[in-house]
Structures are given as C-alpha cells and as structure tokens.
C-alpha cells in the first residue's frame, strides 16, 4: 500500500492506494499563507493520520518544478514560502519510507496513462485545466519530464496579448467577470452570453490543442480539471478551431478525451514509486 498526496495551494489531498484504487481519503485546506514549517507540519500530521504498517512508500504531486532524483521542489505555486524544499529528504528521514515526488500535472497524466483513458495509447498528453493550466507528456508509455520535470508547461507559451493560461483556464472567465461554474449554470439554462463565453473558450483551447499536435503529435490528449465538467459546452468550438491544423493524418487520428477517472492525480502519484 502507498500513501499518495496531491499538494495544492488550496487543498492537500491524501489517500491510501492499493491495486490501483484509492481506499481511505482525506482533504484539508492548505495553510498556504503560513511559513514553510507550518505547511510541512500540516503535511506530517496528514501522513501520520493515514499511516499504518502496510504502507511501504509515499508518492507526492506538487505544483512546481521538481528535481525528482533529489526530491527537491522549487517555487511551489500558491505556497509562497516554499521556494526550495528538500521534501524527499525531509519525509524519508521522518517516516523511514521511500518517497517519490513529481509535478502535479505529470501525476495526473501518469494516472490516466496507467489507470484511465490513456491506457490504449503509447504516446499521449494529459492537460489539467483549472486555476491554471499544465500538462504531462507520455512517450512510449513512459513519463517524459525534461529538466526538473519542466516539460509540458504549455500554459506559459505566449498567446495573443498574454499566454495560453490566461485564455484556457479559470483566468479566462475572470476576463468576463464570471466564474466557470456560473458560466456553466447559465449556459445550461440557454443564456446566450454564457453560451458565447464557452464558445470563445473552446476556440482558445482548440488553438492550444493545435500547439500540442505540433509539438508532440500524440495519439490522445486527455483533459482533466474542474472546467472539464463543462466539456459539452466547449467541445464543438474546440474541434472547429482544431480543423485548421494542416497535417490531417495526425488530426484525424488524435483523440481528445475528457477524463472520467476519479482521483487520477492521486493514482499517478502512487505510481511514481514504480517508475
């Protein structure tokens, strides 16, 4: 059994994982505005609450650049005090168990590749769409991270007057003075303004899908994150934008799939120990 952790600036989620299934789970609000030692103490307490004699390792996904060999995390998103935390060393010293750490989007993608809709595909990209946007890359069924697990930071690519993250995540809805949840509720009621907002969102996301096709030419792109619950509202405009991709043999053979795997990130974090 593994302990699997999804460390976010808003919440910390932890689960006991065995045989590809999350057993006991817990989620608490992260004390992200406190100092580094406070967040570490919170993490210790969560691990201790889920620990038993069957646990033989700990896998963690973190929204940051990561040195996976040394287990150092750098400049963690939304946890300002975590500039450089030697997390693997700290946790292994305290709990006397092997610890594996990676970027959170990589964990989502690994989870989808092993346990979810990515299973049939040797080459795939997982995209997480939420507060921000991130991606993980699977090549020949292995996670590709590049230096410091920095591959897949597609949200930071320049786009229009800013970058893709500003147009393909919750930042986009702030431009329209609405949240994604509100926009989805109004669109489902037939509100024309909300429907147009989702149509525009799909256009921007379709342009991002083309970037992924140009750079990785995957067999599948699996979309995850809270905004993907509204997939039917932006699917058509996304696909319309993708039609201008020039290499039709690639376009016609890629699958864009909304994730239906619950806890993909936690399952992926547990699988880090087997990589």
């Amino acid at each position: 059994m593994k302990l699997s952790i999804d460390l976010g600036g808003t919440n910390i989620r932890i689960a006991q994982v065995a045989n590809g299934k999350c057993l006991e789970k817990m989620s608490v609000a992260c004390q992200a505005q406190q100092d580094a030692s406070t967040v570490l103490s919170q993490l210790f307490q969560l691990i201790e609450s889920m620990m038993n004699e069957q646990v033989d390792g700990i896998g963690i996904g973190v929204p940051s650049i990561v040195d996976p060999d040394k287990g150092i995390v750098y400049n963690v998103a939304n946890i300002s005090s975590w500039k450089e935390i030697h997390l693997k060393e700290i946790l292994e010293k305290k709990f006397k168990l092997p610890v594996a750490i990676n970027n959170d989007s990589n964990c989502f993608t690994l989870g989808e590749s092993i346990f979810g809709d990515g299973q049939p595909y040797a080459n795939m990209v997982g995209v997480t769409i939420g507060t921000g946007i991130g991606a993980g890359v699977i090549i020949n069924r292995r996670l590709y991270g590049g230096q410091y697990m920095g591959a897949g930071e597609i949200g930071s690519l320049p786009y229009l007057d800013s970058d893709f993250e500003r147009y393909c995540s919750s930042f986009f809805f702030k431009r329209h003075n609405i949240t994604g949840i509100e926009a989805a509720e109004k669109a489902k009621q037939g509100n024309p303004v909300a429907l147009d907002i989702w149509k525009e969102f799909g256009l921007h996301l379709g342009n991002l899908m083309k970037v992924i096709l140009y750079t990785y030419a995957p067999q599948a792109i699996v979309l995850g994150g809270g905004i993907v619950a509204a997939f039917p509202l932006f699917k058509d405009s996304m696909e319309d934008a993708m039609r201008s991709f020039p290499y039709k043999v690639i376009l016609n053979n890629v699958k864009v799939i909304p994730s239906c795997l619950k806890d993909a990130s936690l399952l992926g974090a547990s699988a880090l120990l087997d990589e």
Side-chain angles (χ1 to χ4, degrees):
M1 180 187 291
K2 307 290 190 292
L3 285 188
S4 185
I5 298 164
D6 183 13
L7 176 61
T10 303
N11 296 302
I12 306 174
R13 297 193 302 146
I14 185 169
Q16 296 172 342
V17 178
N19 301 316
K21 295 187 183 300
C22 289
L23 307 176
E24 294 293 321
K25 290 191 295 184
M26 188 184 305
S27 178
V28 300
C30 180
Q31 296 176 335
Q33 304 309 313
Q34 304 299 317
D35 59 29
S37 61
T38 299
V39 180
L40 276 172
S41 295
Q42 187 179 23
L43 190 57
F44 294 161
Q45 290 170 10
L46 274 176
I47 292 171
E48 287 164 354
S49 72
M50 300 288 271
M51 185 66 72
N52 62 41
E53 65 276 2
Q54 294 176 288
V55 174
D56 57 13
I58 302 170
I60 308 177
V62 183
S64 70
I65 298 297
V66 178
D67 180 332
D69 297 324
K70 296 179 180 178
I72 303 171
V73 300
Y74 299 91
N75 303 109
V76 177
N78 301 316
I79 306 178
S80 59
S81 62
W82 278 35
K83 299 298 185 188
E84 180 180 326
I85 302 293
H86 294 235
L87 194 55
K88 176 181 171 74
E89 178 184 344
I90 291 167
L91 294 178
E92 287 187 342
K93 182 177 180 180
K94 183 169 182 62
F95 294 103
K96 307 297 189 289
L97 289 172
V99 174
I101 303 170
N102 211 305
N103 172 269
D104 57 349
S105 293
N106 286 345
C107 290
F108 165 79
T109 303
L110 191 60
E112 287 291 343
S113 176
I114 298 172
F115 304 107
D117 288 303
Q119 289 180 78
Y121 307 105
N123 301 295
M124 61 157 286
V125 172
V127 180
T128 53
I129 307 171
T131 305
I133 191 161
V137 182
I138 298 289
I139 299 174
N140 293 330
R141 301 196 183 280
R142 298 299 302 270
L143 184 66
Y144 173 73
Q147 288 196 75
Y148 294 93
M149 295 293 119
E153 293 296 328
I154 56 174
S156 297
L157 290 170
Y159 180 64
L160 299 179
D161 62 343
S162 183
D163 57 26
F164 275 104
E165 185 160 272
R166 297 287 161 173
Y167 285 88
C168 298
S169 72
S170 61
F171 286 109
F172 168 79
F173 297 95
K174 291 179 183 177
R175 287 173 171 263
H176 292 276
N177 298 311
I178 197 170
T179 68
I181 292 172
E182 291 168 341
E185 289 174 351
K186 290 183 177 182
K188 288 171 184 175
Q189 294 166 3
N191 181 288
V193 174
L195 287 167
D196 283 345
I197 288 172
W198 283 107
K199 184 176 181 179
E200 183 189 346
F201 178 81
L203 175 118
H204 298 309
L205 189 63
N207 287 335
L208 181 58
M209 295 299 100
K210 287 189 291 185
V211 170
I212 292 172
L213 295 183
Y214 278 120
T215 50
Y216 300 112
Q219 296 162 289
I221 303 170
V222 181
L223 306 179
I227 289 174
V228 176
F231 186 71
L233 295 173
F234 61 82
K235 175 179 180 287
D236 289 348
S237 60
M238 177 192 74
E239 291 177 346
D240 285 345
M242 292 176 67
R243 287 194 181 96
S244 63
F245 185 75
Y247 308 124
K248 300 307 179 187
V249 69
I250 292 175
L251 179 65
N252 294 338
N253 286 283
V254 67
K255 308 292 185 187
V256 180
I257 307 166
S259 172
C260 60
L261 177 64
K262 192 175 181 181
D263 299 320
S265 296
L266 288 168
L267 293 172
S270 74
L272 294 173
L273 293 146
D274 302 320
E275 280 287 288

